[in-house]
């Protein structure tokens, strides 16, 4: 039951400012801000009734569950839904050996004014290795539970200093005799910004705080908050045994540091594996000041606040900025409004598991009184989104798993019955082609996505010859169980480095666990049978029953991962929005 | 004129979860890329800091003979007892010479590494681009952004927005023979 293990290597990792792998969606720096959804609502005249918030956490007097060291705490945030189910919203990082931690990693949540949002916070002591492991893949069953707190989001927001301190309780809500400690949650609005800076720090002549060796320094950067106090935004990795260290470059978004003039507190600590890091020195500079340090190639001295009232001891140790570079991180809407096009394609499941279309229980039953079946509902609801984003409203539409007029089962036939052209116009076109296909195609099987994915990949690849401002989205509407998971994985892996995303919409009540494997959100990259691994996660899965029960809107479900997948492609290929290029060319002409 | 070899630009980006004898690699990983005909090979520098998750971001150039079917990527580790192979991956040429994808496309690819026993041992991330012979390059006036090769490791945008190399965007008459 549990252990005394503390992952010291994990404790030395940088947090909050690392440069991600080029093909990974840079979700952390974007603060999970989904401007695609906001844009959709705004253009329809509905201003979104929510604000994006970031929650930061600190705790005190946590339980010590590690035998030879202290607990290594991490917070997991859940939203309690109407049916009592918990939906995980995010996690902080793991802090080494600390019963009074101040976490750096923030959790984003949309504060919806008209809803009561019940949040549950659980603190865990991480006993497994977490060095270089994405926090979201840590299995909570392997960790030890330290305490739980809950509140309604509006309670935090309506406090004057936007902070709420909760007393942690045991698993069933009882305090019991044990003192679990307290958790403080602070909420702040996120500002969507596309500026980011990349800074490389170096120090010289740091004081030695270790007895038999040299200090192991790392920097922690915090931002001062309006309501007083400061919130940490990132920390560098630890450099062992070095009084003149250089750290890996940090990438900070304006969301993290506020503005170029916001004062930042930079503290230099000596790392100790027992969690009691010793402060070597601190200083206060804004990003604009750091830029000046870079340009003048000068250093600034650290100081130690002294016990005497306003006297600070100036230290020999200095901070230098060896690299400073501003970059722009364009948002999804920046690309779309500059002329990038999303092109949608639709594929409909014609397998026998849907049931005989002549019977009312079938998912393909066309009701004579006009009530839409599951597929028609999905097409209509999804259609409003894709019509909005697809400029020419002309969609290739296919069916799979059906027996066509010539007697053979096809896993990619044109829905409109046309032998050569697969395109239909508008959502009405898809509906008409669908109804038409039901009359001419017999439901069959098995359920295979591979061919449809390959066809979509072919279209996306062909488009690259003429330009690079198109991005393709394949919508697969299915009732569920895949017959050949590996074949689908192979097709997805092959398509993973193309400008393509796959949205799988599940209708009906089947067990969609397989689909969740394909939507590699838990961190497991898809692997093909030939040993190739998916370059990026291009799949997203939306179960229609979540939409119909009102848990999420279809817009939200579909557009949740799409901007991230789109941006990961554009950024890795170094493709910028069109207006940016035009301006650059004009200036050099 | 049929060239008997094509030039490949391979950027060895990073590797993940490397183990040696069931224990995570501590440091000194490097990568060798060679053609399956063994006609040529290139090696990256040693990564001293990343441990089991090394980053190289190093570009290697290889000439791939036209009859070659794949390239082999090997990850090594320099230990006190010598250089040991952590794992190997075979990259089939069909992964970067696509039927529909244009020449010169920057392919980001990742592969499962397997050790000498055939067991899975980590992932290698690379990018591959076929260099197109200059006579076929045409800088047409499309929206293709003439980006720098690969991607900047430390965003140093001192290029001033000038066009660097002609990347063929449209090649009407060129037929592929694969």
């Amino acid at each position: 039951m549990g252990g005394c293990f503390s992952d010291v290597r994990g404790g030395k990792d940088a947090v909050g400012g690392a440069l991600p792998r080029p093909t990974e969606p840079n979700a952390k720096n974007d603060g999970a801000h989904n401007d695609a959804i906001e844009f959709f609502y705004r253009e329809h005249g509905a201003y979104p009734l929510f604000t994006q918030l970031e929650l930061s956490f600190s705790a005190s007097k946590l339980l010590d569950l590690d035998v030879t060291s202290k607990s290594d705490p991490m917070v997991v945030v859940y939203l309690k839904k109407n049916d009592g189910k918990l939906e995980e919203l995010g996690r902080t990082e793991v802090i080494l050996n600390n019963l009074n931690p101040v976490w750096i990693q923030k959790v984003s949540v949309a504060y919806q004014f008209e809803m009561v949002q019940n949040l549950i916070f659980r603190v865990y002591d991480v006993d497994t290795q977490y060095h270089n492991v994405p926090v979201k893949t840590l299995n909570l069953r392997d960790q030890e539970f330290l305490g739980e707190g809950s509140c309604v989001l509006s309670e935090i927001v309506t406090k004057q200093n936007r902070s709420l301190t909760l007393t942690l309780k045991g698993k069933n809500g009882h305090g019991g005799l044990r003192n679990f400690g307290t958790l403080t949650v602070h909420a702040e609005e996120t500002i969507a910004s596309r500026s980011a800076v990349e800074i490389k720090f170096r120090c010289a002549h740091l004081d030695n705080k270790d007895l038999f060796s040299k200090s192991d320094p790392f920097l922690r950067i915090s931002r001062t908050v309006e309501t007083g106090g400061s919130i940490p935004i990132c920390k560098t990795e630890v450099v062992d045994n070095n009084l003149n260290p250089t750290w890996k470059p940090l990438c900070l978004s304006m969301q993290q540091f506020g503005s170029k003039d916001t004062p930042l507190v930079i503290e230099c600590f000596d790392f100790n594996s027992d969690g009691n890091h010793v402060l070597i020195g601190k200083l206060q500079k804004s990003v604009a000041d750091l830029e000046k340090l870079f340009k003048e190639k000068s250093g600034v001295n650290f100081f130690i606040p002294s016990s005497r009232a306003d006297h600070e001891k100036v230290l020999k140790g200095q901070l230098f900025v060896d690299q400073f570079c501003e970059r722009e991180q364009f948002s999804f809407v920046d690309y779309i409004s500059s002329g990038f096009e999303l092109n949608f394609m639709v594929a409909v499941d014609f397998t026998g598991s849907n049931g005989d279309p002549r019977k009312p229980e079938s998912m393909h039953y066309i009701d004579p009184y006009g009530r839409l079946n599951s597929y028609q509902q999905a097409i209509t609801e999804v259609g409003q989104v894709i019509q909005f984003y697809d400029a020419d409203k002309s969609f290739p539409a296919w069916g799979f798993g059906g027996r066509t007029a010539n007697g053979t089962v096809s896993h990619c036939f044109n829905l409109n019955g046309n032998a050569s052209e697969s395109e239909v116009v508008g959502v009405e076109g898809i509906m008409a082609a669908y109804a038409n296909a039901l009359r001419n195609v017999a439901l069959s099987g098995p359920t295979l996505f591979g061919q449809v994915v390959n066809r979509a990949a072919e279209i996306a690849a062909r488009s690259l010859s003429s330009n690079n401002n198109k991005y393709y989205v394949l919508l697969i509407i299915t009732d569920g169980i895949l017959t050949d998971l590996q074949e689908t994985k192979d097709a997805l892996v092959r398509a993973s480095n193309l400008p393509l995303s796959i949205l799988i919409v599940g209708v009906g009540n089947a067990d969609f666990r397989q689909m969740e494997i394909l939507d590699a959100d838990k961190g497991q990259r898809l692997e093909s049978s030939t040993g190739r691994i998916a370059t990026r996660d291009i799949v997203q899965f939306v179960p229609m029953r979540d939409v119909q029960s009102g848990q999420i809107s279809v817009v939200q479900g579909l557009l949740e991962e799409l901007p991230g997948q789109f941006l990961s492609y554009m950024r890795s290929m170094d493709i910028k929005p069109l207006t940016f290029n035009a301006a650059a060319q004009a200036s050099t002409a | 004129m049929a060239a008997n070899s094509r030039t490949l630009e391979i950027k060895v980006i990073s590797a993940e979860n490397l183990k040696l004898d069931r224990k995570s690699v501590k440091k000194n990983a490097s990568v060798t890329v060679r053609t399956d005909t063994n006609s040529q090979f290139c090696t990256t520098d040693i990564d001293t800091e990343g441990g089991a998750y090394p980053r190289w971001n190093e570009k290697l150039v290889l000439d791939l003979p036209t009859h070659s079917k794949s390239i082999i990527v090997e990850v090594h580790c320099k230990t006190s007892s010598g250089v040991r192979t952590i794992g190997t991956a075979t990259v089939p040429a069909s992964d970067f010479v696509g039927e529909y994808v244009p020449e010169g496309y920057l392919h980001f690819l990742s592969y499962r590494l397997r050790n000498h026993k055939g067991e899975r041992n980590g992932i290698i991330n690379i990018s591959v681009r076929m260099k197109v012979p200059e006579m076929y390059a045409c800088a047409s006036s499309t929206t293709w952004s003439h980006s720098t090769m690969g991607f900047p490791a430390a965003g140093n945008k001192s290029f001033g927005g000038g066009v660097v190399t002609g990347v063929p965007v449209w090649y009407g008459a060129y037929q592929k023979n694969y």
Side-chain angles (χ1 to χ4, degrees):
Chain A
M1 156 86 194
C4 53
F5 175 75
S6 271
D7 187 5
V8 178
R9 289 206 80 181
K12 289 185 174 181
D13 283 341
V15 178
L19 294 170
R21 201 175 70 221
T23 47
E24 250 174 39
N26 201 1
K28 300 262 158 62
N29 279 346
D30 288 344
H33 176 75
N34 198 322
D35 51 355
I37 298 178
E38 273 188 37
F39 183 60
F40 179 84
Y41 282 124
R42 261 209 315 274
E43 294 296 306
H44 282 75
Y47 283 80
L49 294 172
F50 64 84
T51 323
Q52 281 293 132
L53 294 181
E54 268 185 354
L55 301 179
S56 1
F57 300 91
S58 60
S60 71
K61 301 204 176 70
L62 291 177
L63 288 182
D64 189 356
L65 292 184
D66 279 356
V67 177
T68 52
S69 60
K70 301 195 207 110
S71 300
D72 308 305
M74 168 182 82
V75 181
V76 184
V77 183
Y78 297 93
L79 176 68
K80 189 165 174 186
K81 305 214 265 221
N82 296 337
D83 56 2
K85 286 212 198 103
L86 295 181
E87 180 195 321
E88 187 179 313
L89 293 180
R91 303 180 179 188
T92 61
E93 80 277 19
V94 184
I95 293 197
L96 181 72
N97 273 339
N98 199 320
L99 303 178
N100 299 290
V102 179
W103 285 278
I104 291 174
Q105 192 62 51
K106 320 267 177 276
V107 175
S108 279
V109 64
Y111 171 46
Q112 312 212 276
F113 310 134
E114 79 282 18
M115 277 171 47
V116 174
Q117 291 167 290
N118 286 304
L119 297 179
I120 306 237
F121 308 102
R122 289 199 178 142
V123 189
Y124 287 91
D125 167 29
V126 176
D127 282 336
T128 57
Q129 207 182 39
Y130 56 89
H131 174 53
N132 263 318
V133 175
V135 165
K136 65 181 176 185
T137 64
L138 289 176
N139 194 337
L140 295 178
R141 272 188 290 255
D142 297 335
Q143 322 304 344
E144 291 199 72
F145 176 75
L146 287 177
E148 175 177 305
S150 63
C151 72
V152 175
L153 182 52
S154 51
E155 279 181 69
I156 309 176
V157 177
T158 47
K159 288 208 126 189
Q160 201 183 35
N161 58 355
R162 305 281 188 122
S163 278
L164 183 65
T165 301
L166 305 164
T167 310
L168 291 173
K169 299 197 164 51
K171 244 298 162 47
N172 297 320
H174 312 310
L177 293 171
R178 266 171 141 182
N179 186 355
F180 290 85
T182 62
L183 178 72
T184 302
V185 187
H186 174 85
E188 255 190 280
E189 269 186 55
T190 44
I191 28 167
S193 160
R194 63 173 78 89
S195 304
V197 292
E198 208 175 293
I199 307 184
K200 195 162 170 190
F201 285 111
R202 172 175 60 92
C203 281
H205 312 302
L206 291 176
D207 288 342
N208 194 354
K209 298 284 183 191
D210 281 350
L211 203 48
F212 296 110
S213 61
K214 302 201 198 114
S215 298
D216 310 302
F218 68 95
L219 294 177
R220 188 173 79 167
I221 306 185
S222 309
R223 170 167 57 96
T224 50
V225 173
E226 273 175 6
T227 52
S230 64
I231 293 190
I233 56 178
C234 74
K235 72 172 170 125
T236 62
E237 77 281 12
V238 174
V239 174
D240 288 329
N241 237 352
N242 196 326
L243 300 178
N244 299 290
T246 304
W247 290 279
K248 294 200 183 105
L250 284 175
C251 182
L252 296 174
S253 69
M254 194 166 264
Q255 237 161 287
Q256 290 173 287
F257 59 80
S259 76
K260 278 182 96 171
D261 298 312
T262 312
L264 298 178
V265 176
I266 304 179
E267 293 162 299
C268 184
F269 289 94
D270 169 33
F271 177 87
N272 281 317
S273 51
D274 66 0
N276 296 326
H277 313 305
V278 179
L279 178 69
I280 299 177
K282 67 196 254 193
L283 50 86
Q284 190 165 301
K285 287 284 162 212
S286 67
V287 171
D289 294 333
L290 294 175
E291 189 177 10
K292 214 161 124 215
L293 284 181
F294 168 68
K295 290 200 176 126
E296 296 169 2
K297 305 237 183 287
S298 56
V300 56
N301 292 65
F302 283 101
F303 63 85
I304 282 252
S306 147
S307 43
R308 294 216 308 259
D310 25 69
H311 181 81
E312 296 158 345
K313 182 168 170 223
V314 175
L315 301 171
K316 231 182 1 169
Q318 287 197 313
L319 178 75
F320 293 89
V321 179
D322 280 352
Q323 267 177 41
F324 182 98
C325 147
E326 280 187 65
R327 0 151 103 196
E328 284 197 78
Q329 286 183 328
F330 298 103
S331 68
F332 177 73
V333 174
D334 286 337
Y335 285 90
I336 300 291
S337 30
S338 79
F340 274 70
E341 290 171 29
L342 288 187
N343 286 300
F344 283 86
M345 304 172 275
V346 182
V348 179
D349 184 325
F350 272 76
T351 59
S353 47
N354 289 293
D356 183 348
R358 288 165 299 188
K359 302 219 168 69
E361 313 83 61
S362 167
M363 301 232 246
H364 280 308
Y365 177 64
I366 305 268
D367 183 32
Y369 294 102
R371 209 164 138 261
L372 300 180
N373 68 25
S374 302
Y375 281 89
Q376 288 169 318
Q377 274 182 41
I379 293 173
T380 321
E381 298 209 39
V382 154
Q384 52 163 327
V385 177
I386 67 182
Q387 273 204 138
F388 175 72
Y389 276 107
D390 188 325
D392 62 6
K393 311 203 192 314
S394 167
F395 319 113
W398 304 294
F400 58 92
R403 190 183 302 275
T404 52
N406 60 11
T408 52
V409 174
S410 167
H411 292 288
C412 186
F413 59 89
N414 292 339
L415 210 60
N416 56 13
N418 192 317
S420 49
E421 286 297 321
S422 60
E423 304 202 333
V424 299
V425 178
V427 175
E428 326 78 64
I430 307 179
M431 295 286 263
Y434 165 71
N436 184 50
L438 275 179
R439 286 190 287 269
N440 299 319
V441 175
L443 302 190
S444 181
T447 312
L448 298 171
F449 291 167
Q451 282 197 32
V452 173
V453 172
N454 287 336
R455 188 89 180 80
E458 182 192 332
I459 295 180
R462 275 194 203 279
S463 79
L464 291 167
S465 319
S466 42
N467 55 40
N468 67 342
N469 61 344
K470 283 195 205 287
Y471 190 85
Y472 291 84
V473 183
L474 169 65
L475 275 161
I476 302 181
I477 312 182
T478 176
D479 74 327
I481 330 292
L482 269 182
T483 310
D484 190 345
L485 190 59
Q486 190 59 54
E487 186 229 23
T488 307
K489 281 191 195 174
D490 286 358
L492 290 172
V493 170
R494 274 197 303 270
S496 64
N497 67 337
L498 295 173
L500 174 65
S501 280
I502 317 252
L503 301 184
I504 305 179
V505 179
V507 296
N509 292 318
D511 174 4
F512 290 118
R513 251 180 306 207
Q514 278 180 325
M515 302 300 163
E516 279 158 20
I517 296 179
L518 296 178
D519 182 356
D521 270 349
K522 301 279 191 259
Q524 288 284 25
R525 293 164 75 183
L526 293 180
E527 190 164 335
S528 81
S529 48
T530 59
R532 186 170 155 198
I533 294 193
T535 308
R536 50 193 251 278
D537 171 20
I538 60 171
V539 179
Q540 186 190 328
F541 171 63
V542 185
M544 275 309 275
R545 59 170 173 248
D546 278 3
V547 172
Q548 277 145 1
S549 59
Q551 305 269 30
I552 49 167
S553 70
V554 71
V555 178
Q556 204 178 325
L558 283 182
L559 297 185
E560 188 141 344
E561 287 178 41
L562 184 57
Q565 293 173 358
F566 174 93
L567 289 174
S568 75
Y569 179 79
M570 295 300 161
R571 287 175 185 161
S572 65
M573 303 296 284
D574 202 22
I575 299 173
K576 300 194 169 58
L578 295 169
T579 43
F580 184 77
N581 284 336
Q585 276 169 19
S587 64
T588 54
Chain B
M1 153 204 134
N4 52 8
S5 77
R6 309 298 309 278
T7 309
L8 279 185
E9 255 181 26
I10 301 162
K11 185 165 194 165
V12 181
I13 303 174
S14 62
E16 297 173 25
N17 209 7
L18 302 175
K19 290 195 162 72
L20 205 54
D21 300 328
R22 306 272 158 111
K23 285 183 290 206
S24 288
V25 164
K26 296 260 166 39
K27 55 180 180 167
N28 294 342
S30 66
V31 179
T32 301
V33 182
R34 54 187 174 82
T35 60
D36 61 348
T37 51
N38 261 322
S39 50
Q40 223 190 52
F41 72 91
C42 278
T43 309
T44 63
D45 289 337
I46 292 180
D47 166 86
T48 48
E49 295 176 19
Y53 289 77
R55 302 204 86 129
W56 300 277
N57 278 325
E58 201 177 316
K59 203 178 289 185
L60 304 175
V61 179
L62 218 57
D63 278 323
L64 190 74
T66 27
H67 55 273
S68 212
K69 291 215 178 55
S70 57
I71 59 176
I72 319 273
V73 179
E74 284 167 351
V75 184
H76 306 288
C77 180
K78 186 166 146 206
T79 62
S80 43
S81 50
V83 178
R84 297 185 54 186
T85 306
I86 299 174
T88 315
T90 306
V91 180
S94 53
D95 281 355
F96 50 86
V97 178
E99 314 93 74
Y100 313 109
V101 180
E103 295 256 322
Y105 183 70
L106 181 63
H107 293 266
F108 281 91
L109 304 168
S110 299
Y111 293 88
R112 165 71 58 203
L113 292 164
R114 286 190 187 263
N115 62 15
H116 62 279
K117 290 196 215 134
E119 296 166 337
R120 296 149 126 222
N121 194 1
I123 295 176
I124 179 88
N125 300 308
I126 61 175
S127 75
V128 181
R129 193 208 296 264
M130 273 228 156
K131 273 201 101 150
V132 181
E134 303 254 323
M135 63 181 80
Y136 295 117
C138 66
S140 44
S141 57
T142 64
T143 53
W144 187 271
S145 72
H146 293 276
S147 51
T148 53
M149 293 290 206
F151 49 92
N156 193 355
K157 305 268 184 230
S158 54
F159 257 57
V163 173
V164 184
T165 315
V167 175
V169 177
W170 185 83
Y171 51 101
Y174 186 67
Q175 295 293 323
K176 282 197 289 293
N177 299 322
Y178 301 106

